[in-house]
Every structure is written in C-alpha cells, then in structure tokens.
Amino acid sequence: MTTTASTPDPAPRLRVAPSPTGDPHVGTAYMALFNLAFARKHGGAFVLRVEDTDRARFRADSEAQLFDTLDWLGLTWDEGPDVGGPYAPYRQSERLDTYAPYVEKLIEDGHAYYCWCSADRLKELRAEQEKSKMSVTGYDRLCHGKTREERAKLPGFSETPVVRMLVPDDVPLEFDDLIRGTLKAPRPDDQVIRKADGFPTYHLAVVVDDHEMGITHVVRGEEWISSTPKHLLLYRWLGLPEPKFAHMPLLRNANKSKISKRKNPEARLTWFREEGYLPEALVNFLALLGYPPIIEAGEGGERVEREVFSFAEFSEGFEWTKVNPVGPIFDLTKLDWLNGVYIRDLETHELAARLLPHLVAEGVLPQNPSLGEFGRLKAVTALIQPRLTHLTKAGPQVAPFYVPDDAVPVDDDARAQLKDDAPAVLDAAIEALEGLPTDEGDIFGEGRGWTHAHIEAALRAALVEGMGLKPKVAFGPLRTAISGKRVSPPLFESMEILGRHSTLVRLRTLRASL
C-alpha cells in the first residue's frame, strides 16, 4: 500500500544477517547496534537472521558464539533462529524451498538464465580479461540463449548449471541512501543467483528473505554499495516493494585498512570478553565509531560533548543523518579509557561479581567460592577499582589475598629490591603491629583497633619516625611480605582485609627467609 500524508509509516523492521563462518566479527555487533537503535526508537522489530548458505566455510559452533556474544552485549533481537517468530525459519539453509519459485519466475520472465561454464573456464576468462586490461570485465554470456545440448558442444562445460541474472545494459545505477544521499554504483555483471549445489547466493537470498520477513530498512556495510543495483533489479523484476538502504562506514585500522579477523585479534567479537572489557563500554565505543557524542548544555549554557552514554540515550536521539560516512579508526586506546570509566562507575558488589568468572578461570578462586571468599573479594575489589581498566588485569592484584599466609609467592623483582635493612624494618613492623588488636574495636581505649588508619599510624610511628626511614624504604619490605609484589593494592587497607593474624604470619615468613 502506498503511504500518504495521512497514513503513518508502518513500524520499521530491521535485521542483521551474519554468516556462521567463524568467530563472530565485531562488525556484526556494530551493524546490530545501529539497526537496533533505530528499531527501538520507532517501536519497530529487530530480526537476527543467519545466512548459512556458504556451506564450504560453515562452522557449527559459530552460530552459538553469535547468539552468546550479541546477548552479552545486550543487543537482543525480537525474532531469530533461537527465539522463533512469525517469519520462521530464520536460517537460510532451512529456507531453500522458499527461493526456488523466485528463481523460476526470473528464468520464465527472461531475467535469468542457466550457465554451464566450468570453474576452469571462468578462471581462464578472468585471466584473459586481466591480461588484456579490458575496461568491462565479468561473465561473457557464453551460455545465454543456449540449450543444455548446445552448450555441451562447447569447451568448458559443467554438468550442473548455475543460474545467472541477465543484467540489462540500461540498468539503473543510482539509488538513495539514508546516510550518504544519492549514490551511484558501478555496472554489475551477470551475477550468479543460484549455485550448482542448489543454494542461493547472497544476492538472491537477501532480497527474498528481506521481502518475506517484511524488512523495511536494509542497513549494512559500505562494501555492499556496489551490489545494491543488482538487488534493486531483483526487487523490480519480482514486483516487490523496495526497502530503504543505509550503508555504514567500514571499521578501519590506523593505516586505513579494513579490520580483518585474520590480521586483527580485536576483529573477533569474542576477544573483547576474553580481554576483560565490559559490554556496555564496548557498545558505547561502537556507537562513537560511527556517531557523534551527545550534545548537552553545560553549566554556563554552552554546548558540551558527552562521550559516555547508554544504549537507551543513543537510541532515543538516533538519526541516520548524524552517522558519519567516513570509515572510523578502531582506536583501542579510547575503548580502554571508556572501559575504565564504566568499571569505576559500577557498584563494588557488581564489579566483584563480574570479576568472579575471570578469577575462577585463572585459578585465583575456586569454582564455587564460599561466602567468606566472596566477601573478601568485595573488599579487595574496592581497593583495586579506582585504577582497574580491564577485568582480566585484576587477577595478579587479587591472587595474593587467596594464598596461604606462610607461602606467599614473591616475585623476583620484589625480592631484588629489598635492602640490607629489610630484616630490621620487618622486625620493627612486627613489633608495632603486635600491639594492635584483631578486631576493629578500641579495646585498649587508645584508638588502636585493627583498621587501616590505625595500622598506618602504628607503622609510621615505628618506621618513619622511630627509624628515620623514608616511607618508600619503610614500606617496601612490608608490601613484598603482604603481596609478594613490588606494586600492589594499597598496603594498609590490604593488611586490614587480611586481618591481624594473616598479616603477622606474612611478615614473619618473609623475615625468616632473609
């Protein structure tokens, strides 16, 4: 039905349609984010469709990874292979019967034809065209207009044909793009739309599936600009309503090359979880790659850019015209900064819960930690949170709190920095701390409970004032005894968490080894 001024546009339906050919690409999340933002703003639907017609590169575990990583990012879909929906099935391999009538119609109407050319013949054709530097390359239509019998008499014949589009000389090459305005693509050749194995190619399947699933907006990477005239031809030949197109800029490395899974580990969507990034930080980062910061009024009424924002905020103000068509640089430094911001903004108990799987995987904590072990983790988390940038960087800082007090592993560099006066420093520290009680109460009436403030006061009095040492010299041996490291979470707070007994055992153990 034609939309008029009095007839509102229907709720938009958008989709992301990755191929399960390996670890999900970060570009899939990038595309999903922008599709989902528009759909949510306008009360539409977001569809996840799996385009698994490339059987040579298909990987069975890839689909599960795709579901898992997109769900981890909170980019949830309304319809898909795992949740179903009114247009199921949502895997192309389960929709083969759907495509056949469309192919037959194109053949009957003279818009497509069978091609029996062998792979070797096509390879030779390409080599010839490249050698002669022809201005127009592509298939030479040797099979067009021939019967199987006629074609079989010619060289380079294959028993099983493919089906090709018959692209007219006057094919329209211009089309409107929501991000880029009017675009013009190069003339396409006679594209294969059904392969010899009976599976449709992307070009036919994407048109048929988008139509049958009611997709109103096709949002994809700019590498598909050159294919859009082919797709528009298919829509027109088949008498189908055309969706609106938006071609997103490609994610690029610093040298402007396209990010690839073969060369860039960060191209794998699973890499970000492995490296300890928070999903909300990654979503924020991906939005900034193609979209400007949020503009709001400052205290003096001036316009201020805000780079930290939620998906809800991003979706609420989303407009295609704001998308930057220039390929963004994938700057991990910016992502690290964002990740630190989000980590510091978490409630301590929430951060501890997010750290737990990483700490279990590293063997720092058991699979099912006790309440006491998790309680200690929350206390340690509060110490390391202000300077933590990745969840995976917490392990070395947390591990010393979960080792036997008489067997703290001491790093070589920590032991090497101990001076000749380390035994005397440890002796004085032990004596000073033995005077503090185990609880936080002031049972002596002298303000000497086992708190970090009282621990620091006692040690400063004994080592800095009593022995005349500089704090760095005075507290270095204590840090080594407590954590086994040169750099650790705040020393006195660590002693408070460990408690009086554990602290003294660690100090005495290092002292005995000197």
Side-chain angles (χ1 to χ4, degrees):
M1 182 175 67
T2 302
T3 299
T4 65
S6 59
T7 305
D9 288 335
R13 289 178 56 81
L14 294 92
R15 52 74 174 168
V16 66
S19 299
T21 55
D23 290 354
H25 195 284
V26 66
T28 298
Y30 176 59
M31 295 299 167
L33 171 62
F34 282 76
N35 276 278
L36 183 62
F38 183 80
R40 292 293 177 259
K41 176 179 179 178
H42 295 282
F46 177 53
V47 178
L48 174 61
R49 186 173 71 227
V50 175
E51 299 193 345
D52 58 348
T53 56
D54 187 347
R55 305 311 290 178
R57 298 171 59 217
F58 172 78
R59 259 182 47 184
D61 62 333
S62 182
E63 184 180 289
Q65 286 184 333
L66 175 68
F67 296 159
D68 184 49
T69 48
L70 290 182
D71 182 66
W72 171 67
L73 288 169
L75 304 177
T76 52
W77 47 99
D78 304 300
E79 303 167 26
D82 57 332
V83 297
Y87 300 99
Y90 292 91
R91 294 183 184 91
Q92 283 186 340
S93 61
E94 298 172 2
R95 299 173 57 82
L96 296 183
D97 292 342
T98 303
Y99 310 116
Y102 291 93
V103 175
E104 296 308 317
K105 175 175 173 54
L106 291 170
I107 293 173
E108 290 172 9
D109 293 347
H111 295 308
Y113 60 95
Y114 291 104
C115 173
W116 290 273
C117 287
S118 66
D120 288 340
R121 198 253 159 183
L122 295 175
K123 184 178 178 181
E124 291 171 4
L125 175 63
R126 284 192 296 271
E128 268 181 43
Q129 291 175 342
E130 291 173 2
K131 185 177 180 180
S132 60
K133 298 181 179 179
M134 296 176 60
S135 58
V136 178
T137 60
Y139 183 61
D140 61 359
R141 293 183 175 172
L142 176 64
C143 295
H144 178 241
K146 293 182 176 64
T147 64
R148 182 184 185 283
E149 291 73 22
E150 290 171 335
R151 177 62 183 85
K153 297 176 182 178
L154 301 175
F157 177 78
S158 173
E159 289 289 343
T160 309
V162 300
V163 176
R164 291 181 180 272
M165 296 173 63
L166 181 61
V167 177
D169 293 337
D170 61 348
V171 53
L173 300 176
E174 288 190 352
F175 62 94
D176 291 329
D177 186 274
L178 293 170
I179 297 172
R180 303 163 187 269
T182 301
L183 290 177
K184 184 175 182 179
R187 186 188 183 282
D189 69 341
D190 287 6
Q191 178 69 50
V192 174
I193 56 175
R194 187 171 69 191
K195 295 177 285 188
D197 60 6
F199 277 70
T201 63
Y202 168 83
H203 301 285
L204 176 76
V206 73
V207 168
V208 171
D209 287 340
D210 283 345
H211 166 67
E212 297 238 338
M213 295 182 182
I215 301 302
T216 60
H217 295 71
V218 173
V219 183
R220 56 192 181 186
E222 64 181 295
E223 70 268 33
W224 295 108
I225 288 175
S226 62
S227 296
T228 305
K230 305 173 195 175
H231 301 166
L232 287 171
L233 266 182
L234 290 171
Y235 278 108
R236 292 161 191 167
W237 286 343
L238 295 168
L240 309 178
E242 299 168 13
K244 296 177 181 178
F245 289 91
H247 289 90
M248 293 287 294
L250 293 179
L251 303 179
R252 302 188 183 279
N253 295 302
N255 63 2
K256 305 298 178 66
S257 64
K258 180 182 176 181
I259 288 183
S260 71
K261 289 188 290 185
R262 185 169 59 86
K263 296 181 179 179
N264 309 101
E266 66 271 21
R268 294 188 301 108
L269 196 49
T270 51
W271 180 83
F272 297 93
R273 183 188 283 188
E274 295 165 3
E275 291 297 307
Y277 288 101
L278 298 185
E280 51 266 56
L282 180 54
V283 165
N284 193 160
F285 173 69
L286 292 175
L288 285 172
L289 286 177
Y291 208 78
I294 289 178
I295 304 296
E296 54 191 8
E299 294 181 1
E302 72 279 10
R303 288 162 57 87
V304 177
E305 290 187 348
R306 175 161 59 87
E307 293 189 310
V308 180
F309 49 79
S310 66
F311 171 79
E313 291 176 301
F314 174 56
S315 177
E316 183 181 358
F318 186 82
E319 300 289 346
W320 290 115
T321 54
K322 293 182 181 179
V323 176
N324 186 350
V326 178
I329 301 300
F330 207 84
D331 182 8
L332 288 177
T333 303
K334 172 61 74 66
L335 177 56
D336 290 344
W337 171 76
L338 277 171
N339 206 50
V341 170
Y342 276 92
I343 283 176
R344 288 188 292 276
D345 198 45
L346 287 175
E347 294 291 337
T348 301
H349 69 276
E350 171 67 15
L351 177 56
R354 298 205 195 191
L355 288 173
L356 190 56
H358 294 276
L359 297 173
V360 169
E362 294 173 31
V364 174
L365 283 167
Q367 188 70 40
N368 296 300
S370 66
L371 289 176
E373 288 169 326
F374 188 71
R376 174 172 284 192
L377 176 59
K378 287 193 290 184
V380 176
T381 298
L383 295 188
I384 66 175
Q385 186 169 8
R387 288 178 292 276
L388 191 64
T389 59
H390 296 72
L391 299 183
T392 48
K393 292 185 178 180
Q397 300 181 71
V398 174
F401 291 88
Y402 294 93
V403 297
D405 297 318
D406 60 355
V408 176
V410 178
D411 292 346
D412 291 341
D413 63 340
R415 188 176 291 277
Q417 58 93 35
L418 295 174
K419 307 298 183 184
D420 293 340
D421 60 355
V425 171
L426 290 167
D427 287 337
I430 292 167
E431 182 178 354
L433 295 179
E434 284 177 335
L436 293 179
T438 56
D439 60 26
E440 296 184 5
D442 186 8
I443 62 175
F444 296 112
E446 300 175 4
R448 293 190 296 167
W450 190 263
T451 65
H452 66 270
H454 296 151
I455 294 169
E456 181 177 4
L459 291 173
R460 284 188 179 277
L463 306 180
V464 178
E465 298 166 16
M467 297 181 67
L469 300 174
K470 293 181 179 180
K472 183 177 181 180
V473 176
F475 303 138
L478 310 189
R479 190 179 304 280
T480 299
I482 295 300
S483 67
K485 301 181 180 300
R486 290 188 63 185
V487 180
S488 72
L491 176 62
F492 311 116
E493 288 82 351
S494 297
M495 290 178 168
E496 178 179 340
I497 292 171
L498 287 168
R500 181 178 184 273
H501 175 76
S502 291
T503 296
L504 289 170
V505 170
R506 293 182 181 216
L507 293 175
R508 291 177 181 138
T509 300
L510 181 61
R511 173 63 184 89
S513 72
L514 300 181

